[in-house]
Amino acid sequence: MGTVGMKLKARRTRRHVTTGMVLAALTTGALLAGCSGGGSDDDDRQGESPTRRPGTTAPVGSILAVKIDNVRTARPQTGVDAADIVYAEQVEGGLSRLMAVYATRFPDAVGPVRSARESDLELLGQFDEPTLAFSGAQSKLLPLIDKAPLEARTPGDAGAAYYRGSDKPAPHNLYLRPAKLVGSPPGAEALTTGFRYGQAPAGGTPEDSRTIRYPAARFTFTWSDEQQRWLLAMDGQDTVLTDGARVAPATVVVQHVTIRQSRFHDFLGNNTPYTETVGSGKAEVLRDGRVFEADWERKSPPDGTTFTTPDGEPMNFAKGQVWVLYVKK
């Protein structure tokens, strides 16, 4: 095991004891702060950010997670194809937002960058001191982010790493230069997700295309024999990035989770959904032009998520980018 790996293992051992307690305390604190959740989404108030300790920098060996806008106005996006993992989650109004996780390589730029949600804190608990890049958050959520086991970086405290593009209207034009925020990528060993990669299990059902629908968003993955990848279309349009690259993951996970109302709302009064990523349930894993039934389990916030076949064997993913789409049980 390399030096970074040893540091990650040591941090993970220490953190495993405390992260669940911290997140539980954050939840209790937020409830005490008031369940009305009257604050607005702070996408347009970029100056607001958690209070950071002077001199803090991204930890050695930490992954970079970037919240990415996913409404039609935000497309085409930038740098999504370089992510190791992309999580898709529901937000207000039935729309979707992405969290792109980078460990093995950084693109020159990523975006458009948008705001964080409460669910992100639980999701990111599986990584060791991750760096979360986002545009801002509503005022009642900022204290929770500040206390979470991660490094929060917004334009308010890392302005040199962000810039405004001229291709889209604000707030859909904020971009991040990853190398200016955290230096170099930490490597694959920082991906403490619990995912396994290798040969596909026996069985599965041939699958040419799969569409996943949220109330106001749609993802369609179509298998390409030529590329040996799932070609993505969102809301009926091929997902092509600003540099012309087609988003085409090797593995797609449709993970059935509990999605409930949170204590927060956007400025229009729409409730912010909370996606529970700790627990267990069913999933479908798409790889190699086939779909495999699977079970998933994540016992606590510091743990990764394990996927197994119906007979209890580990479920391997195909080597390459993974998309995880959270859908309501």
Side-chain angles (χ1 to χ4, degrees), residues 14-65:
R14 294 192 300 270
R15 187 174 60 91
H16 199 285
V17 180
T18 60
T19 303
M21 297 173 62
V22 169
L23 289 174
L26 293 177
T27 301
T28 302
L31 287 168
L32 292 175
C35 294
S36 61
S40 67
D41 181 88
D42 285 353
D43 278 330
D44 298 324
R45 300 210 294 275
Q46 305 297 345
E48 293 192 80
S49 61
T51 302
R52 308 313 304 167
R53 296 176 293 280
T56 56
T57 58
V60 174
S62 71
I63 60 98
L64 172 64

Short mmCIF file of all heavy atoms in Angstrom, two decimals, residues 14-65:
data_model
loop_
_atom_site.label_atom_id
_atom_site.label_comp_id
_atom_site.label_asym_id
_atom_site.label_seq_id
_atom_site.Cartn_x
_atom_site.Cartn_y
_atom_site.Cartn_z
N ARG A 14 -10.09 6.38 11.93
CA ARG A 14 -10.47 7.38 12.92
C ARG A 14 -11.84 7.94 12.63
O ARG A 14 -12.66 8.15 13.54
CB ARG A 14 -9.44 8.52 12.93
CG ARG A 14 -8.05 8.12 13.40
CD ARG A 14 -7.20 9.35 13.65
NE ARG A 14 -7.05 10.18 12.46
CZ ARG A 14 -6.06 10.02 11.59
NH1 ARG A 14 -5.16 9.06 11.77
NH2 ARG A 14 -5.97 10.82 10.54
N ARG A 15 -12.11 8.20 11.34
CA ARG A 15 -13.34 8.88 10.97
C ARG A 15 -14.57 7.99 11.14
O ARG A 15 -15.65 8.47 11.45
CB ARG A 15 -13.22 9.31 9.49
CG ARG A 15 -14.35 10.17 8.99
CD ARG A 15 -14.03 10.63 7.57
NE ARG A 15 -13.86 9.48 6.70
CZ ARG A 15 -14.84 8.94 6.01
NH1 ARG A 15 -16.05 9.42 6.11
NH2 ARG A 15 -14.62 7.91 5.22
N HIS A 16 -14.41 6.70 10.96
CA HIS A 16 -15.56 5.78 11.00
C HIS A 16 -16.27 5.86 12.34
O HIS A 16 -17.49 5.70 12.41
CB HIS A 16 -15.08 4.36 10.75
CG HIS A 16 -16.17 3.43 10.32
ND1 HIS A 16 -17.09 2.93 11.20
CD2 HIS A 16 -16.50 2.93 9.10
CE1 HIS A 16 -17.93 2.13 10.55
NE2 HIS A 16 -17.59 2.13 9.27
N VAL A 17 -15.55 6.14 13.41
CA VAL A 17 -16.14 6.19 14.74
C VAL A 17 -16.99 7.43 14.92
O VAL A 17 -17.97 7.43 15.64
CB VAL A 17 -15.02 6.17 15.81
CG1 VAL A 17 -15.61 6.24 17.20
CG2 VAL A 17 -14.17 4.92 15.66
N THR A 18 -16.62 8.51 14.22
CA THR A 18 -17.24 9.80 14.50
C THR A 18 -18.21 10.29 13.45
O THR A 18 -19.12 11.06 13.76
CB THR A 18 -16.16 10.87 14.68
OG1 THR A 18 -15.40 10.96 13.48
CG2 THR A 18 -15.25 10.52 15.84
N THR A 19 -18.07 9.87 12.20
CA THR A 19 -18.86 10.49 11.14
C THR A 19 -20.35 10.29 11.35
O THR A 19 -21.14 11.22 11.19
CB THR A 19 -18.46 9.93 9.77
OG1 THR A 19 -17.07 10.15 9.58
CG2 THR A 19 -19.23 10.60 8.66
N GLY A 20 -20.77 9.08 11.70
CA GLY A 20 -22.18 8.84 11.93
C GLY A 20 -22.73 9.71 13.04
O GLY A 20 -23.84 10.25 12.94
N MET A 21 -21.93 9.89 14.12
CA MET A 21 -22.36 10.74 15.22
C MET A 21 -22.47 12.19 14.77
O MET A 21 -23.41 12.91 15.14
CB MET A 21 -21.38 10.61 16.38
CG MET A 21 -21.30 9.22 16.97
SD MET A 21 -19.99 9.06 18.19
CE MET A 21 -20.54 10.24 19.42
N VAL A 22 -21.51 12.64 13.95
CA VAL A 22 -21.53 14.01 13.48
C VAL A 22 -22.77 14.27 12.63
O VAL A 22 -23.48 15.25 12.81
CB VAL A 22 -20.25 14.33 12.67
CG1 VAL A 22 -20.40 15.66 11.94
CG2 VAL A 22 -19.05 14.36 13.59
N LEU A 23 -23.05 13.36 11.68
CA LEU A 23 -24.20 13.55 10.81
C LEU A 23 -25.51 13.47 11.59
O LEU A 23 -26.45 14.21 11.30
CB LEU A 23 -24.19 12.51 9.69
CG LEU A 23 -23.09 12.72 8.64
CD1 LEU A 23 -23.08 11.56 7.66
CD2 LEU A 23 -23.26 14.03 7.91
N ALA A 24 -25.56 12.62 12.60
CA ALA A 24 -26.76 12.56 13.44
C ALA A 24 -26.94 13.88 14.19
O ALA A 24 -28.05 14.40 14.32
CB ALA A 24 -26.65 11.40 14.43
N ALA A 25 -25.85 14.43 14.68
CA ALA A 25 -25.92 15.70 15.39
C ALA A 25 -26.35 16.82 14.45
O ALA A 25 -27.12 17.71 14.82
CB ALA A 25 -24.56 16.03 16.01
N LEU A 26 -25.86 16.79 13.22
CA LEU A 26 -26.24 17.80 12.26
C LEU A 26 -27.74 17.75 11.99
O LEU A 26 -28.41 18.77 11.91
CB LEU A 26 -25.48 17.59 10.95
CG LEU A 26 -23.97 17.81 11.00
CD1 LEU A 26 -23.37 17.50 9.63
CD2 LEU A 26 -23.62 19.21 11.41
N THR A 27 -28.27 16.53 11.84
CA THR A 27 -29.69 16.38 11.58
C THR A 27 -30.52 16.93 12.72
O THR A 27 -31.49 17.65 12.54
CB THR A 27 -30.04 14.90 11.34
OG1 THR A 27 -29.26 14.43 10.24
CG2 THR A 27 -31.51 14.72 11.05
N THR A 28 -30.11 16.59 13.96
CA THR A 28 -30.82 17.08 15.14
C THR A 28 -30.76 18.58 15.20
O THR A 28 -31.75 19.27 15.47
CB THR A 28 -30.21 16.47 16.41
OG1 THR A 28 -30.29 15.06 16.32
CG2 THR A 28 -30.96 16.95 17.64
N GLY A 29 -29.57 19.14 14.94
CA GLY A 29 -29.41 20.58 14.99
C GLY A 29 -30.28 21.29 13.98
O GLY A 29 -30.85 22.35 14.25
N ALA A 30 -30.37 20.71 12.80
CA ALA A 30 -31.19 21.33 11.77
C ALA A 30 -32.66 21.32 12.14
O ALA A 30 -33.40 22.28 11.90
CB ALA A 30 -30.99 20.64 10.43
N LEU A 31 -33.10 20.22 12.74
CA LEU A 31 -34.48 20.14 13.17
C LEU A 31 -34.78 21.18 14.23
O LEU A 31 -35.82 21.84 14.24
CB LEU A 31 -34.78 18.73 13.71
CG LEU A 31 -34.88 17.64 12.64
CD1 LEU A 31 -34.89 16.27 13.31
CD2 LEU A 31 -36.12 17.84 11.80
N LEU A 32 -33.86 21.36 15.17
CA LEU A 32 -34.04 22.36 16.21
C LEU A 32 -34.03 23.77 15.63
O LEU A 32 -34.64 24.69 16.17
CB LEU A 32 -32.94 22.22 17.27
CG LEU A 32 -32.99 20.94 18.10
CD1 LEU A 32 -31.78 20.86 19.03
CD2 LEU A 32 -34.28 20.87 18.92
N ALA A 33 -33.29 23.94 14.52
CA ALA A 33 -33.22 25.27 13.92
C ALA A 33 -34.55 25.67 13.29
O ALA A 33 -34.75 26.84 12.97
CB ALA A 33 -32.14 25.28 12.84
N GLY A 34 -35.43 24.71 13.12
CA GLY A 34 -36.75 25.05 12.59
C GLY A 34 -37.08 24.26 11.36
O GLY A 34 -36.34 24.27 10.40
N CYS A 35 -38.22 23.59 11.37
CA CYS A 35 -38.60 22.73 10.26
C CYS A 35 -39.29 23.49 9.15
O CYS A 35 -39.65 22.92 8.13
CB CYS A 35 -39.50 21.60 10.76
SG CYS A 35 -38.67 20.47 11.88
N SER A 36 -39.53 24.79 9.34
CA SER A 36 -40.23 25.54 8.30
C SER A 36 -39.41 25.67 7.05
O SER A 36 -39.95 25.76 5.95
CB SER A 36 -40.59 26.94 8.83
OG SER A 36 -39.41 27.65 9.16
N GLY A 37 -38.07 25.73 7.19
CA GLY A 37 -37.21 25.75 6.02
C GLY A 37 -37.50 26.88 5.08
O GLY A 37 -37.48 26.73 3.88
N GLY A 38 -37.77 28.07 5.61
CA GLY A 38 -38.19 29.18 4.79
C GLY A 38 -37.12 29.79 3.94
O GLY A 38 -37.41 30.67 3.13
N GLY A 39 -35.86 29.38 4.11
CA GLY A 39 -34.78 29.99 3.34
C GLY A 39 -34.87 29.64 1.88
O GLY A 39 -35.45 28.65 1.47
N SER A 40 -34.28 30.51 1.04
CA SER A 40 -34.30 30.26 -0.40
C SER A 40 -33.04 29.53 -0.82
O SER A 40 -32.06 29.47 -0.10
CB SER A 40 -34.39 31.59 -1.16
OG SER A 40 -33.21 32.33 -0.97
N ASP A 41 -33.07 28.98 -2.03
CA ASP A 41 -31.87 28.41 -2.62
C ASP A 41 -30.92 29.55 -2.96
O ASP A 41 -31.31 30.53 -3.57
CB ASP A 41 -32.25 27.64 -3.88
CG ASP A 41 -31.05 27.00 -4.52
OD1 ASP A 41 -30.74 25.87 -4.14
OD2 ASP A 41 -30.44 27.63 -5.39
N ASP A 42 -29.65 29.42 -2.56
CA ASP A 42 -28.71 30.53 -2.68
C ASP A 42 -27.84 30.42 -3.92
O ASP A 42 -26.72 30.90 -3.92
CB ASP A 42 -27.81 30.59 -1.44
CG ASP A 42 -28.55 31.15 -0.23
OD1 ASP A 42 -29.68 31.61 -0.40
OD2 ASP A 42 -28.00 31.11 0.86
N ASP A 43 -28.35 29.83 -5.00
CA ASP A 43 -27.57 29.74 -6.22
C ASP A 43 -27.08 31.10 -6.69
O ASP A 43 -25.99 31.24 -7.22
CB ASP A 43 -28.42 29.13 -7.34
CG ASP A 43 -28.43 27.61 -7.25
OD1 ASP A 43 -27.45 27.03 -6.78
OD2 ASP A 43 -29.43 27.03 -7.66
N ASP A 44 -27.89 32.12 -6.52
CA ASP A 44 -27.56 33.43 -7.05
C ASP A 44 -26.81 34.30 -6.05
O ASP A 44 -26.48 35.44 -6.37
CB ASP A 44 -28.84 34.15 -7.49
CG ASP A 44 -29.54 33.40 -8.61
OD1 ASP A 44 -28.83 32.83 -9.45
OD2 ASP A 44 -30.77 33.37 -8.61
N ARG A 45 -26.56 33.78 -4.86
CA ARG A 45 -25.84 34.57 -3.87
C ARG A 45 -24.51 33.88 -3.61
O ARG A 45 -24.30 33.23 -2.59
CB ARG A 45 -26.67 34.69 -2.59
CG ARG A 45 -28.01 35.37 -2.85
CD ARG A 45 -28.48 36.12 -1.63
NE ARG A 45 -28.78 35.25 -0.51
CZ ARG A 45 -29.93 34.63 -0.32
NH1 ARG A 45 -30.88 34.75 -1.20
NH2 ARG A 45 -30.15 33.89 0.74
N GLN A 46 -23.60 34.04 -4.55
CA GLN A 46 -22.37 33.26 -4.53
C GLN A 46 -21.45 33.61 -3.39
O GLN A 46 -20.56 32.85 -3.04
CB GLN A 46 -21.63 33.44 -5.86
CG GLN A 46 -22.48 33.11 -7.09
CD GLN A 46 -22.90 31.68 -7.15
OE1 GLN A 46 -22.35 30.86 -6.44
NE2 GLN A 46 -23.87 31.37 -7.97
N GLY A 47 -21.61 34.80 -2.79
CA GLY A 47 -20.68 35.19 -1.73
C GLY A 47 -20.86 34.41 -0.47
O GLY A 47 -19.98 34.40 0.39
N GLU A 48 -22.01 33.76 -0.28
CA GLU A 48 -22.26 33.02 0.94
C GLU A 48 -21.55 31.67 0.89
O GLU A 48 -21.61 30.95 -0.09
CB GLU A 48 -23.75 32.82 1.15
CG GLU A 48 -24.50 34.11 1.42
CD GLU A 48 -25.89 33.84 1.89
OE1 GLU A 48 -26.05 33.54 3.08
OE2 GLU A 48 -26.81 33.92 1.07
N SER A 49 -20.88 31.34 1.96
CA SER A 49 -20.19 30.05 2.03
C SER A 49 -20.01 29.70 3.49
O SER A 49 -20.11 30.56 4.36
CB SER A 49 -18.83 30.11 1.33
OG SER A 49 -18.01 31.07 1.95
N PRO A 50 -19.74 28.44 3.82
CA PRO A 50 -19.46 28.07 5.19
C PRO A 50 -18.25 28.83 5.71
O PRO A 50 -17.38 29.27 4.96
CB PRO A 50 -19.18 26.57 5.10
CG PRO A 50 -19.83 26.13 3.84
CD PRO A 50 -19.72 27.30 2.91
N THR A 51 -18.19 28.98 7.02
CA THR A 51 -17.03 29.62 7.64
C THR A 51 -15.89 28.63 7.69
O THR A 51 -15.96 27.61 8.37
CB THR A 51 -17.37 30.08 9.07
OG1 THR A 51 -18.48 30.97 9.02
CG2 THR A 51 -16.18 30.79 9.69
N ARG A 52 -14.81 28.89 6.94
CA ARG A 52 -13.70 27.97 6.86
C ARG A 52 -12.62 28.36 7.86
O ARG A 52 -12.39 29.52 8.13
CB ARG A 52 -13.09 27.94 5.47
CG ARG A 52 -14.07 27.69 4.35
CD ARG A 52 -15.02 26.57 4.60
NE ARG A 52 -14.35 25.31 4.89
CZ ARG A 52 -14.96 24.25 5.37
NH1 ARG A 52 -16.24 24.30 5.67
NH2 ARG A 52 -14.27 23.15 5.58
N ARG A 53 -11.93 27.39 8.39
CA ARG A 53 -10.83 27.65 9.30
C ARG A 53 -9.66 28.22 8.52
O ARG A 53 -9.34 27.74 7.43
CB ARG A 53 -10.41 26.35 9.99
CG ARG A 53 -11.50 25.77 10.87
CD ARG A 53 -11.06 24.44 11.46
NE ARG A 53 -10.91 23.42 10.45
CZ ARG A 53 -11.93 22.74 9.94
NH1 ARG A 53 -13.16 22.98 10.34
NH2 ARG A 53 -11.73 21.82 9.02
N PRO A 54 -9.00 29.26 9.05
CA PRO A 54 -7.90 29.89 8.30
C PRO A 54 -6.82 28.88 7.94
O PRO A 54 -6.43 28.04 8.75
CB PRO A 54 -7.35 30.93 9.30
CG PRO A 54 -8.50 31.20 10.22
CD PRO A 54 -9.24 29.90 10.34
N GLY A 55 -6.36 28.96 6.69
CA GLY A 55 -5.23 28.14 6.27
C GLY A 55 -5.58 26.73 5.88
O GLY A 55 -4.70 25.95 5.52
N THR A 56 -6.87 26.33 5.91
CA THR A 56 -7.21 24.96 5.54
C THR A 56 -7.06 24.77 4.05
O THR A 56 -7.36 25.64 3.25
CB THR A 56 -8.65 24.61 5.95
OG1 THR A 56 -9.54 25.56 5.37
CG2 THR A 56 -8.81 24.62 7.45
N THR A 57 -6.61 23.62 3.64
CA THR A 57 -6.49 23.26 2.24
C THR A 57 -7.05 21.88 2.05
O THR A 57 -7.32 21.16 3.01
CB THR A 57 -5.01 23.27 1.78
OG1 THR A 57 -4.27 22.36 2.60
CG2 THR A 57 -4.41 24.67 1.91
N ALA A 58 -7.24 21.49 0.80
CA ALA A 58 -7.77 20.16 0.52
C ALA A 58 -6.80 19.10 1.05
O ALA A 58 -5.60 19.19 0.83
CB ALA A 58 -7.96 19.98 -0.98
N PRO A 59 -7.30 18.08 1.76
CA PRO A 59 -6.42 17.05 2.32
C PRO A 59 -5.72 16.24 1.24
O PRO A 59 -6.26 16.06 0.14
CB PRO A 59 -7.39 16.17 3.13
CG PRO A 59 -8.64 16.95 3.26
CD PRO A 59 -8.70 17.86 2.08
N VAL A 60 -4.55 15.74 1.55
CA VAL A 60 -3.83 14.86 0.64
C VAL A 60 -4.66 13.60 0.43
O VAL A 60 -5.12 12.98 1.39
CB VAL A 60 -2.44 14.50 1.20
CG1 VAL A 60 -1.77 13.46 0.31
CG2 VAL A 60 -1.58 15.75 1.32
N GLY A 61 -4.85 13.23 -0.82
CA GLY A 61 -5.57 12.00 -1.10
C GLY A 61 -7.07 12.12 -1.09
O GLY A 61 -7.77 11.11 -1.13
N SER A 62 -7.63 13.33 -1.07
CA SER A 62 -9.07 13.47 -1.05
C SER A 62 -9.62 13.58 -2.46
O SER A 62 -8.97 14.11 -3.36
CB SER A 62 -9.49 14.71 -0.25
OG SER A 62 -9.16 15.89 -0.95
N ILE A 63 -10.81 13.08 -2.66
CA ILE A 63 -11.47 13.19 -3.95
C ILE A 63 -12.09 14.59 -4.08
O ILE A 63 -12.28 15.30 -3.10
CB ILE A 63 -12.54 12.10 -4.15
CG1 ILE A 63 -13.62 12.19 -3.08
CG2 ILE A 63 -11.92 10.72 -4.15
CD1 ILE A 63 -14.86 12.92 -3.49
N LEU A 64 -12.41 14.96 -5.31
CA LEU A 64 -13.10 16.21 -5.58
C LEU A 64 -14.50 15.89 -6.06
O LEU A 64 -14.69 15.15 -7.03
CB LEU A 64 -12.36 17.01 -6.65
CG LEU A 64 -13.08 18.26 -7.17
CD1 LEU A 64 -13.27 19.30 -6.08
CD2 LEU A 64 -12.33 18.85 -8.37
N ALA A 65 -15.51 16.43 -5.38
CA ALA A 65 -16.90 16.28 -5.78
C ALA A 65 -17.43 17.65 -6.19
O ALA A 65 -17.26 18.63 -5.46
CB ALA A 65 -17.73 15.71 -4.63
#
